[in-house]
């Protein structure tokens, strides 16, 4: 296909050739629904695991998203907010339901919307990747891959999914969120439906790209019906699963072509899955640069919807270049914001300033994800300096840069840094176990009928293992 024209300036904001990087990043973006985001920097969904184990918001979670809003972000997306407590990704997930703690939800949306920032929940259903210690995983097709097992959803259960997403979106709107993102990436349920490797159904929900997209399109339609035309509805989509026989870029472009005909306001492009054998994003992307910008350029040929690219942005120049060249309309940055919650303010100022990322030499499996997750907890509790003792230095209010002061002369991390990673992993896993007990007590009907081995692929994302990339690597 010949490239379609870029979305009009009145929709996404004009980029002038003479704009410097700060000016490019600072331009407001008007979404199709009419919502305005104040600049082009977003915190994509991360599984912050800060819920209380009963699906409710904690004070720490409120403080975390308040800090990111105060730091200058335009949009924060709360990862893994479940539409059904029977299928959580982690026991620290939030669940939007009628009996949620509404005071806590409204406190979150109020404080995380400081200075005009947006906060959206990422509505999801973990499907085959539901935590098997507190659920019975189900997916579009029965699977048994190593210790990963799931049973097949019935046609009736599939037909109920759009209503479940729509109910949660309506609750999100009532709680004061500025929009929602529908999670159709990283190997969770809607992503499983899109993948020909994991969706081998022979009914209307399988087969062609159109059939495999049917549930997602129905979810979008019902969600829009529930929230009305002026509420933002985004979608997170894989550019590729990173698995042989899984969703590839050609099919992903066809899905985007279908999304172009819907009422979605923002398509967030990412990639990778938690399934065994999936490649890390860094295995298939330009080393040291953003992962999915090239795919986003191809997506421009099939949609005029605003695009967001998430993954691998580590420097302001990279983000500004992707915007200036029209590849994307928003940039999703995750781990950089975990290192420096005030990073947007730096990038929007003339002087700029990029974070320095830590290096880990042979960390334990899951250690890097655990380290970043515990770093998020430290941010949420306003005590981040303590988790990085010996490898960090404070530069200013709200900002913390990792320096090489904790490294040996050859550039490898010191033994103290490695101990921190292992300790973070232990704390991370112990916290999940405590919350699983609370989850079982709160949602007894969701408990699995018998024990399962846990394939904790999500621990290993972007650690050099074989479970693919998730947004924490982005």
């Amino acid at each position: 296909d010949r490239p379609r024209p870029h979305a009009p300036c009145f929709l996404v904001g004009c980029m002038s050739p003479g704009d410097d990087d700060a000016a490019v990043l600072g331009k407001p973006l008007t979404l199709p629904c009419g919502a305005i985001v104040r600049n082009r920097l977003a915190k994509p969904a991360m599984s912050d695991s800060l819920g209380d184990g009963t699906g409710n918001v904690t004070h720490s979670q409120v403080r975390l998203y308040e800090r990111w809003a105060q730091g200058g972000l335009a949009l924060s997306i709360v990862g893994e907010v479940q539409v059904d407590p029977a299928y959580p990704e982690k026991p620290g997930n939030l669940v939007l339901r009628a009996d949620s703690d509404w005071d806590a939800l409204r406190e979150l949306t109020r404080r995380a919307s400081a200075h005009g920032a947006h906060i959206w929940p990422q509505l999801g259903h973990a499907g085959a990747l539901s935590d098997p210690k507190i659920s019975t995983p189900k997916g579009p097709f029965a699977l048994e891959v190593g210790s990963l097992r799931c049973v097949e959803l019935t046609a009736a259960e599939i037909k109920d999914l759009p209503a479940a997403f729509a109910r949660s979106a309506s609750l999100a709107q009532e709680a004061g969120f500025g929009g929602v993102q529908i999670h159709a990436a990283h190997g969770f349920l809607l992503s499983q439906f899109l993948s020909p490797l994991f969706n081998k159904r022979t009914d209307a929900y399988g087969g062609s790209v159109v059939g495999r997209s049917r549930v997602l399109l129905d979810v979008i339609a019902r969600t829009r019906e529930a929230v009305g035309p002026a509420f933002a509805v985004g979608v997170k989509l894989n550019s590729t699963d990173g698995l042989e026989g899984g969703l590839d870029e050609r099919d992903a472009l066809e899905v985007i072509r279908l999304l172009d005909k819907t009422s979605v306001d923002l398509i967030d492009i990412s990639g990778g899955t938690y399934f065994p054998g999936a490649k890390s994003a860094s295995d298939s992307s330009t080393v040291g640069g953003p992962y999915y910008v090239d795919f986003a350029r191809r997506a421009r040929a099939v949609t005029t919807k605003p695009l967001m690219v998430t993954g691998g942005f580590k420097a302001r120049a990279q983000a500004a270049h992707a915007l200036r060249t029209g590849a994307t309309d928003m940039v999703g940055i995750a781990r950089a914001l975990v290192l420096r919650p005030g990073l947007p303010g730096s990038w929007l100022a003339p002087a700029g300033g990029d974070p320095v990322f830590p290096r880990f030499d042979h960390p334990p499996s899951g250690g890097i994800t655990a380290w970043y997750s515990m770093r998020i907890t430290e941010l949420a509790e306003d005590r981040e300096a303590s988790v990085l003792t010996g490898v960090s230095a404070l530069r200013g209010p709200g900002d913390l840069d990792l320096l090489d002061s904790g490294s040996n002369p050859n550039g490898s991390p010191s033994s103290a840094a490695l101990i921190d990673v292992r300790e973070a992993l232990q704390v991370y896993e112990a916290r999940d176990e405590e919350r699983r007990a609370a989850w079982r007590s709160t949602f007894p009907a969701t408990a699995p009928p018998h024990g399962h081995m846990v394939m904790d692929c999500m621990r290993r994302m972007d650690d050099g293992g074989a479970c693919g990339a998730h947004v924490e690597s982005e």
Side-chain angles (χ1 to χ4, degrees):
D1 291 342
R2 295 181 61 186
R4 295 172 62 180
H6 193 286
C9 277
F10 73 83
L11 178 65
V12 299
C14 296
M15 297 295 173
S16 303
D19 287 341
D20 62 19
D21 288 352
V24 168
L25 294 172
K27 287 187 180 293
L29 170 67
T30 304
L31 300 176
C33 67
I36 300 173
V37 289
R38 58 181 175 175
N39 60 57
R40 304 307 179 95
L41 297 174
K43 196 285 296 180
M46 290 185 281
S47 183
D48 59 51
S49 294
L50 286 175
D52 65 357
T54 69
N56 285 314
V57 173
T58 61
H59 294 299
S60 296
Q61 207 163 26
V62 172
R63 176 57 180 149
L64 175 68
Y65 286 91
E66 179 181 50
R67 287 191 68 177
W68 277 327
Q70 291 172 338
L73 273 178
L75 168 64
S76 284
I77 301 175
V78 184
E80 307 295 348
V81 179
Q82 303 304 327
V83 303
D84 187 337
Y87 306 101
E89 171 255 357
K90 300 278 280 183
N93 293 165
L94 300 184
V95 183
L96 282 174
R97 58 195 194 280
D99 60 348
S100 291
D101 184 339
W102 282 88
D103 289 340
L105 277 172
R106 291 192 173 108
E107 182 74 357
L108 171 65
T109 59
R110 181 183 68 82
R111 290 171 58 181
S113 300
H115 310 293
H118 275 243
I119 183 167
W120 302 356
Q122 182 191 62
L123 302 182
H125 182 305
L129 292 181
S130 302
D131 186 333
K133 289 189 173 182
I134 51 176
S135 68
T136 301
K138 292 186 178 182
F141 198 75
L143 290 175
E144 186 167 346
V145 182
S147 59
L148 174 64
R149 298 174 178 87
C150 77
V151 297
E152 182 176 315
L153 288 163
T154 66
E157 288 173 320
I158 295 171
K159 289 179 181 177
D160 288 340
L161 289 171
F165 278 83
R167 281 194 299 271
S168 292
S170 182
L171 291 171
Q173 187 178 37
E174 186 177 348
F177 288 96
V180 296
Q181 182 186 76
I182 295 166
H183 195 1
H186 298 159
F188 295 106
L189 184 64
L190 296 180
S191 176
Q192 293 159 26
F193 271 98
L194 294 174
S195 173
L197 185 60
F198 301 104
N199 179 0
K200 299 186 182 298
R201 298 184 70 95
T202 57
D203 59 11
Y205 299 105
S208 68
V209 175
V210 172
R212 287 182 274 122
S213 302
R214 191 177 308 278
V215 177
L216 173 59
L217 299 178
D218 288 348
V219 165
I220 293 168
R222 286 293 298 273
T223 298
R224 177 58 72 195
E225 181 182 349
V227 299
F231 191 71
V233 177
V235 172
K236 183 151 200 161
L237 183 72
N238 272 1
S239 59
T240 173
D241 287 346
L243 286 168
E244 184 176 352
L247 184 79
D248 58 21
E249 291 190 355
R250 184 173 66 177
D251 279 1
L253 288 172
E254 287 303 310
V255 176
I256 291 175
R257 193 190 302 272
L258 294 170
L259 292 177
D260 189 60
K261 301 174 184 177
T262 71
S263 63
V264 298
D265 296 293
L266 185 66
I267 301 172
D268 181 4
I269 296 170
S270 186
T273 77
Y274 289 146
F275 284 97
K279 295 179 180 179
S280 169
S282 58
D283 292 338
S284 56
S285 307
T286 302
V287 176
Y291 303 148
Y292 308 112
V293 170
D294 289 343
F295 176 83
R297 295 187 200 282
R298 294 194 290 277
R300 286 292 191 204
V302 298
T303 187
T304 56
K305 298 289 187 183
L307 299 178
M308 173 171 151
V309 176
T310 292
F313 288 97
K314 297 181 178 181
R316 180 173 74 169
Q318 295 170 337
H321 180 73
L323 291 162
R324 187 181 283 111
T325 58
T328 188
D329 301 296
M330 292 199 77
V331 171
I333 48 176
R335 284 186 172 177
L337 285 167
V338 178
L339 299 176
R340 288 183 63 183
L343 184 64
S346 296
W347 280 8
L348 294 171
D354 297 326
V356 178
F357 285 73
R359 297 187 297 261
F360 301 96
D361 187 14
H362 305 299
S365 177
I368 294 177
T369 293
W371 188 89
Y372 275 97
S373 294
M374 298 317 298
R375 163 69 177 171
I376 286 175
T377 301
E378 299 292 321
L379 291 181
E381 296 173 356
D382 288 300
R383 57 183 180 89
E384 61 268 22
S386 64
V387 79
L388 301 171
T389 300
V391 293
S392 63
L394 288 171
R395 291 190 60 185
D399 281 356
L400 185 144
D401 268 358
L402 300 187
L403 306 179
D404 289 336
S405 57
S407 299
N408 294 323
N410 62 8
S412 61
S414 65
S415 59
L418 292 178
I419 291 171
D420 285 343
V421 173
R422 293 190 176 94
E423 290 177 350
L425 180 57
Q426 292 172 357
V427 174
Y428 178 72
E429 292 179 333
R431 184 176 68 177
D432 273 357
E433 281 303 313
E434 292 177 1
R435 287 174 176 166
R436 286 187 183 103
W439 196 278
R440 293 186 195 101
S441 177
T442 305
F443 308 111
T446 70
H450 51 79
H452 290 274
M453 288 180 61
V454 178
M455 188 201 75
D456 201 6
C457 276
M458 53 282 290
R459 287 187 340 188
R460 301 199 294 274
M461 62 193 171
D462 216 33
D463 290 4
C467 290
H470 190 43
V471 5
E472 280 87 317
S473 68
E474 297 160 357

